Amino acid sequence: MHRLKDYEPIVGPQVVEELYLLAEKVKGLSIQNINSTAVGGGVAEILNRMVPLLKELGVHAKWDVIKGGERFFKVTKKFHNALHGRVESFTPEDFSVFLETGEENRKTMELTGNVMFIHDPQPITLINHKGNMDAKWIWRCHIDVSNPDQKLWNFLRPFIDRYDAAVFSAPAFSQELLVRQFLISPSIDPLSDKNRNLTEDTIRTVLERFHLDLDKPMITQISRFDYLKDPLGVIEAFKIVKRHVDCQLVLAGGEASDDPESTEVLARVREKAIEDPDIHVLAIPSGSDIEINALQTVSSVIIQKSIKEGFGLTVAEALWKAKPLVASAVGGITLQVTHKYSGLLCHSIEGAAHSIKQLLQNPEYARKLGENGREHIRQNFLLTRHLRDYLLLFLSLYHEGDIIYL
Ligand code: UDP
């Protein structure tokens, strides 16, 4: 496990020094993070690294996961889609399952933090415990809620309004709320197995395990198998590119324990991919960080063709590896990619195909975009900046309206 000083060569010693200064003011507080899955997806990815580093800074951070049955996670997946703007229909039972499971968790979990840091809608009703404890409550929304289903938003809003603060990943997601709002974008850990430099041997082993060889340029999308990541659209785009350039496609991803839809999506992707041996659909187990790193590292172009995206950690991961990237101009992706400077943004299958082709045919241009992307991530989306924002957030909960002197 890396220590904070290990980040100094990447971000500079002042950045790490400032974290210690800030943490000094937050020491003594306990921060209890709660979300709905320990593995799979961006939230778990971030908490995995954030919690140990907060501890190293002397902040008592912990992370707990709510429990729920299949019905609950079916409902929360519908919530997830509807908050992203997809049309879903809800029954009264959906809302009662959601409320009942929330209440069971409220009663059975040990809720002890001075700061209760609740991630996403699944555990949102834990706020019902607010009156029983002397704590500050933060609702951290990782979803693109710029255009949520209004009925669902109206249902959730009274819960959100009882928090002390709400945190969104991008300016476009902020909503009219009674609570203070903060803008904090996510981050990646440059030293994690997913993002550090790998040896050639390690990379070769991964490629052999997946029966991949690099005789053809490789286009890759790493994502949970979710319709919102549009894996079927990626295949369509790939088919267009292949008419012009001989290349292969890798769609790699796993399942998240809070996502009951992924098995169906994976099956549809496999069905669509079956006729083309150049399409490799890799179902990878959770914790496949080195495998993901290796796939990203050897790719000629990385694609992230999401229909909606809260932030898109996979985009940051690709850019940190200085990879040429084609990504949809949605949600948090637009914070990370400046079109034609640090990657290419697309709005359609045809647009994605055109951009991939352009990058494959212009390696020098592709290299330059990748380099710019890496620098943008270094400046804005590494874990140290995220830690700093969180420490300031905790501090500001106790100093509403004050100027905080560092
Ligand atoms: N990821 C993973 N295994 C998978 C698919 C994705 O470890 O099978 C990782 C991916 O590398 C990234 C995170 O999970 O770090 C996904 O975050 P992102 O913000 O891209 O999307 P989300 O899944 O949260 O919608």
Side-chain angles (χ1 to χ4, degrees):
M1 192 60 82
H2 289 98
R3 315 277 303 171
L4 271 162
K5 67 171 174 35
D6 299 330
Y7 293 81
E8 288 184 1
I10 301 171
V11 294
Q14 307 88 325
V15 169
V16 175
E17 198 180 311
E18 191 188 15
L19 289 177
Y20 277 101
L21 279 174
L22 272 173
E24 200 53 47
K25 298 181 184 280
V26 181
K27 260 185 189 158
L29 286 182
S30 63
I31 317 289
Q32 185 173 11
N33 290 277
I34 299 181
N35 81 324
S36 65
T37 177
V39 289
V43 182
E45 178 77 19
I46 291 167
L47 287 174
N48 247 315
R49 292 302 298 133
M50 188 60 87
V51 169
L53 289 176
L54 280 170
K55 282 188 185 160
E56 190 188 331
L57 285 165
V59 181
H60 306 290
K62 61 183 249 176
W63 171 18
D64 293 297
V65 176
I66 56 162
K67 293 197 176 76
E70 198 185 325
R71 283 176 68 209
F72 174 72
F73 286 121
K74 268 199 176 138
V75 173
T76 57
K77 179 67 198 216
K78 274 211 270 182
F79 277 22
H80 181 86
N81 289 336
L83 287 173
H84 272 299
R86 196 163 102 175
V87 179
E88 294 279 354
S89 59
F90 294 105
T91 63
E93 289 78 53
D94 288 343
F95 293 108
S96 23
V97 166
F98 180 73
L99 293 172
E100 279 159 22
T101 306
E103 186 58 10
E104 276 161 32
N105 278 288
R106 187 187 75 76
K107 285 190 190 144
T108 51
M109 289 180 86
E110 276 188 31
L111 305 176
T112 56
N114 301 120
V115 174
M116 298 299 298
F117 206 168
I118 309 299
H119 298 263
D120 281 340
Q122 299 92 331
I124 201 169
T125 60
L126 291 176
I127 191 67
N128 287 339
H129 209 66
K130 191 177 188 185
N132 302 349
M133 51 197 293
D134 181 22
K136 301 285 186 188
W137 288 72
I138 304 169
W139 186 57
R140 202 310 175 209
C141 178
H142 296 266
I143 298 174
D144 173 350
V145 284
S146 49
N147 181 28
D149 174 289
Q150 272 312 314
K151 187 171 169 219
L152 178 60
W153 187 253
N154 292 341
F155 168 77
L156 292 176
R157 178 146 176 206
F159 294 104
I160 304 169
D161 276 335
R162 288 160 60 200
Y163 280 78
D164 295 292
V167 181
F168 297 96
S169 296
F173 306 165
S174 86
Q175 290 279 338
E176 216 182 290
L177 292 170
L178 297 177
V179 296
R180 294 168 80 197
Q181 297 185 46
F182 293 80
L183 165 65
I184 300 180
S185 39
S187 63
I188 57 162
D189 180 358
L191 297 178
S192 66
D193 280 347
K194 193 168 280 167
N195 295 309
R196 67 181 167 85
N197 287 333
L198 297 177
T199 63
E200 290 201 353
D201 270 359
T202 308
I203 292 175
R204 195 172 323 110
T205 310
V206 171
L207 292 178
E208 278 168 10
R209 180 156 3 123
F210 290 133
H211 309 291
L212 294 169
D213 57 51
L214 296 180
D215 56 344
K216 294 178 188 182
M218 192 167 117
I219 300 152
T220 302
Q221 175 161 297
I222 307 282
S223 276
R224 294 177 295 103
F225 287 98
D226 182 328
Y227 289 120
L228 288 177
K229 308 288 182 184
D230 201 18
L232 301 171
V234 174
I235 295 180
E236 289 298 323
F238 172 72
K239 283 183 179 164
I240 300 174
V241 177
K242 240 191 124 181
R243 284 188 222 138
H244 308 273
V245 187
D246 192 18
C247 53
Q248 56 184 330
L249 173 68
V250 169
L251 288 167
E255 302 182 30
S257 60
D258 61 349
D259 181 4
E261 226 176 30
S262 52
T263 314
E264 173 195 311
V265 179
L266 177 57
R268 285 200 56 199
V269 170
R270 285 216 159 107
E271 194 181 299
K272 198 172 167 81
I274 206 153
E275 75 250 26
D276 187 343
D278 280 327
I279 304 179
H280 307 276
V281 181
L282 311 177
I284 48 175
S286 65
S288 304
D289 291 0
I290 289 182
E291 288 77 2
I292 290 174
N293 186 342
L295 292 172
Q296 288 168 332
T297 303
V298 298
S299 295
S300 316
V301 173
I302 295 206
I303 179 158
Q304 190 59 54
K305 218 204 136 304
S306 305
I307 290 164
K308 286 275 179 171
E309 195 62 77
F311 179 69
L313 286 178
T314 49
V315 168
E317 289 160 7
L319 293 180
W320 180 244
K321 296 174 184 88
K323 286 288 139 183
L325 173 90
V326 174
S328 305
V330 295
I333 290 178
T334 55
L335 297 178
Q336 302 183 67
V337 182
T338 304
H339 185 53
K340 296 187 179 177
Y341 177 76
S342 52
L344 297 178
L345 290 170
C346 64
H347 302 83
S348 64
I349 287 170
E350 292 73 16
H354 177 78
S355 293
I356 294 170
K357 184 161 77 72
Q358 195 185 5
L359 292 177
L360 290 176
Q361 291 176 337
N362 297 280
E364 193 45 38
Y365 179 50
R367 195 189 56 75
K368 189 68 200 149
L369 295 186
E371 260 175 27
N372 292 344
R374 179 173 165 94
E375 213 34 51
H376 184 58
I377 299 301
R378 187 200 307 279
Q379 297 299 333
N380 299 287
F381 299 114
L382 296 185
L383 188 59
T384 38
R385 189 275 308 151
H386 200 178
L387 263 171
R388 178 183 186 275
D389 287 353
Y390 274 177
L391 290 170
L392 281 168
L393 167 67
F394 304 147
L395 209 53
S396 73
L397 292 174
Y398 295 90
H399 298 270
E400 202 162 330
D402 291 359
I403 296 172
I404 299 168
Y405 292 100
L406 296 179

